[in-house]
């Protein structure tokens, strides 16, 4: 078996997977983000041990998907938001390997999301894909020639922070990024600007269900922006398959029509049809993707 771990800001998901990536057992525990990196990894390790205690088999390796900018090769967190204490600089894989005695591998959570969907989800078997997560922020990752492409600096596919989407300030310090229109946080903010109401993204979705014109307009803007990002990717890389996940996809019925209208009005120059697919694995995607990374690396290394 391999273990896949998804360390998020609020919860940590742990899954034990067989060699075909079927989930044998899973659990969710709170992430002690305010207690520091050692406590966060410790909570994940406790989860792995609990699953191992109730699932027969031998653990071969562990994959971890983590929020923040990571050095996947060194297995270390490089940059983390202020939601996490003592997370930037933390050597994740070294801590896991020392505790469990098996190889461990680290990915950014969005890269792990795409690995999961490409291995066992909505885009299984697809050679070229852009994955996009519309959550608190907007993340992106690239799958090229059947493998994750993270670029020379680990930031390939970060479509959420490409400018050209207006002039609103972004959480990263830039302006006019896709994230300012299509993230859950931004959907709530754009709705607040229109209505003067301070509400959550979930409340905006509920308002859209009720036909609120301001909520529908905000989702229209988000969908059009996502489509423009898709067209930029299709034009630059000739990638025409996209998988979209994250919490905002719970309101996909309001986002998708604007995506489709924009793509129909201005198709890619290649003339090849664009496919935009909702993610299939839900909350398991990052953990399964992390497990898939571990399996890939273990197979590459050969028999132990």
């Amino acid at each position: 078996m391999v273990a896949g771990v998804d360390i998020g800001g609020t919860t940590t998901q742990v899954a034990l997977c067989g060699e075909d990536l079927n989930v044998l057992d899973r659990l969710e525990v709170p992430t002690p983000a305010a207690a520091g990196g050692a406590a966060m990894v410790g909570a994940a390790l406790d989860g792995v041990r609990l699953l191992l205690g109730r699932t027969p088999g031998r653990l071969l390796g562990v994959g971890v998907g983590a929020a923040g900018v990571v050095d996947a090769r060194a297995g270390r967190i490089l940059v983390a938001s202020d939601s996490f204490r003592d997370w930037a600089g933390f050597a994740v894989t070294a801590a896991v390997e020392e505790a469990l005695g098996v190889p461990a591998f680290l990915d950014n959570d969005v890269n792990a999301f795409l690995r999961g969907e490409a291995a066992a989800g909505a885009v299984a078997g697809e050679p070229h894909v852009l994955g996009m997560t519309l959550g608190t922020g907007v993340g992106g990752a690239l799958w090229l020639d059947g493998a994750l492409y993270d670029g020379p600096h680990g930031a390939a596919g970060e479509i959420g922070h490409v400018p050209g989407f207006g002039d609103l300030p972004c959480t990263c310090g830039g302006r006019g990024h896709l994230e300012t229109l299509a993230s859950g946080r931004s959907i709530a903010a754009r709705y607040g600007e229109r209505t003067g109401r301070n509400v959550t993204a979930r409340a905006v979705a509920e308002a859209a269900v009720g036909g609120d014109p301001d909520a529908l307009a905000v989702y229209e803007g988000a969908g059009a922006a996502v489509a423009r990002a898709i067209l930029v990717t299709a034009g630059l890389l000739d990638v025409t398959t996209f998988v979209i996940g994250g919490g905002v996809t719970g309101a996909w019925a309001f986002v998708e029509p604007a995506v489709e209208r924009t793509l129909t009005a201005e198709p890619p120059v290649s003339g090849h049809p664009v496919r935009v697919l909702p993610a299939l694995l839900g909350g398991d995607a990052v953990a399964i993707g992390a497990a898939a990374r571990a399996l890939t690396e273990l197979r590459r290394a050969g028999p132990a």
Side-chain angles (χ1 to χ4, degrees), residues 66-96:
V69 180
V70 311
D71 183 337
R73 295 163 181 83
R76 182 182 297 271
I77 305 295
L78 296 179
V79 180
S81 78
D82 56 9
S83 302
F84 300 94
R85 178 173 167 265
D86 297 334
W87 192 225
F90 194 84
V92 176
T93 58
V96 173

Side-chain angles (χ1 to χ4, degrees), residues 57-135:
R58 182 167 68 96
L59 185 68
L60 300 178
V62 179
V64 179
V69 180
V70 311
D71 183 337
R73 295 163 181 83
R76 182 182 297 271
I77 305 295
L78 296 179
V79 180
S81 78
D82 56 9
S83 302
F84 300 94
R85 178 173 167 265
D86 297 334
W87 192 225
F90 194 84
V92 176
T93 58
V96 173
E97 289 176 349
E98 181 178 354
L100 297 178
V102 296
F105 309 92
L106 177 67
D107 262 320
N108 163 271
D109 55 354
V110 183
N111 287 353
F113 157 80
L114 181 54
R115 285 185 191 276
E117 292 293 336
V123 290
E126 292 286 340
H128 313 293
V129 183
L130 177 81
M132 197 182 304
T133 54
L134 311 178

Side-chain angles (χ1 to χ4, degrees), residues 191 204-217 254:
Y191 183 76
V204 180
E206 291 169 354
V209 171
D212 183 325
D214 290 304
L216 294 171
F254 304 114

Side-chain angles (χ1 to χ4, degrees), residues 79 180 261:
V79 180
T180 65
R261 277 194 297 272

